[in-house]
Amino acid sequence: MNKIFKLITLIYFSLFSINLALSAESFFDEALKKYQDKKYDDARFMLERNIVFNPKDAKSYLYLAKIYNHEKNQKKEEYNLDTALLIEPNNEEVILMLMKIALKKSNYSKVKNLSQTFVKVCDELCDENNEIQKSLKNIEPENES
């Protein structure tokens, strides 16, 4: 009887874990569809739900940052990008978005530091870094921080 109870408990927890993993995956997929349909409030809700089940999902934080970018909420955008960068330090899209925020804030030293990392990890977005570097060269040295 004890062996049967252990077996049933093991099966129950296995199914629960699989169900939990699949539901977290479906939250992100659903959020991505909502984001692509420009339903940002619904997408944000689904991404936040996904983060509850999978707090180390850098893509969820990235898309939350993109939503906050659309909403012009730079503080929350930067917070989510910083979180995504902690989870996935080589994410070129996150680094690029942080560079653009730092450029808007005139934090040129941060742009240069992020750019050094970006050059090491860039795969698809390397041209965008070149544009940022050109804009940095046009700024007078006395304006650097």
Side-chain angles (χ1 to χ4, degrees):
M1 182 70 173
N2 197 15
K3 289 182 181 182
I4 295 173
F5 179 73
K6 287 181 182 180
L7 182 63
I8 291 172
T9 305
L10 180 65
I11 292 171
Y12 174 77
F13 282 115
S14 298
L15 291 174
F16 179 74
S17 299
I18 291 169
N19 187 32
L20 186 64
L22 291 175
S23 67
E25 199 172 298
S26 68
F27 287 142
F28 181 79
D29 293 339
E30 184 69 25
L32 190 57
K33 289 176 190 171
K34 301 279 186 191
Y35 176 82
Q36 291 168 342
D37 293 339
K38 297 183 184 340
K39 296 178 181 177
Y40 299 126
D41 288 336
D42 295 337
R44 180 178 43 243
F45 177 73
M46 297 304 287
L47 288 167
E48 289 170 349
R49 276 182 90 178
N50 188 50
I51 288 171
V52 168
F53 291 106
N54 190 3
K56 294 184 180 180
D57 184 23
K59 288 189 288 186
S60 292
Y61 291 103
L62 173 62
Y63 277 93
L64 274 175
K66 289 180 178 186
I67 290 170
Y68 288 122
N69 180 285
H70 286 286
E71 295 175 352
K72 307 288 188 228
N73 188 336
Q74 192 176 54
K75 185 177 181 179
K76 288 186 177 182
E77 176 188 4
E78 191 171 6
Y79 170 80
N80 282 288
L81 288 172
D82 287 337
T83 305
L85 192 62
L86 284 173
I87 296 168
E88 200 174 289
N90 294 335
N91 187 318
E92 64 182 310
E93 190 173 5
V94 171
I95 296 169
L96 182 63
M97 289 176 72
L98 281 170
M99 286 170 52
K100 289 179 180 180
I101 291 173
L103 198 58
K104 284 181 190 175
K105 289 181 168 184
S106 301
N107 188 345
Y108 306 119
S109 60
K110 184 174 181 177
V111 173
K112 287 181 181 179
N113 289 339
L114 287 169
S115 179
Q116 290 172 354
T117 304
F118 186 81
V119 169
K120 295 175 187 172
V121 299
C122 85
D123 188 29
E124 298 173 12
L125 304 171
C126 298
D127 292 339
E128 299 228 16
N129 184 44
N130 295 335
E131 293 297 318
I132 291 175
Q133 291 306 312
K134 286 178 188 175
S135 67
L136 278 177
K137 287 180 183 178
N138 294 333
I139 299 170
E140 296 177 358
E142 62 265 17
N143 289 341
E144 292 184 13
S145 56

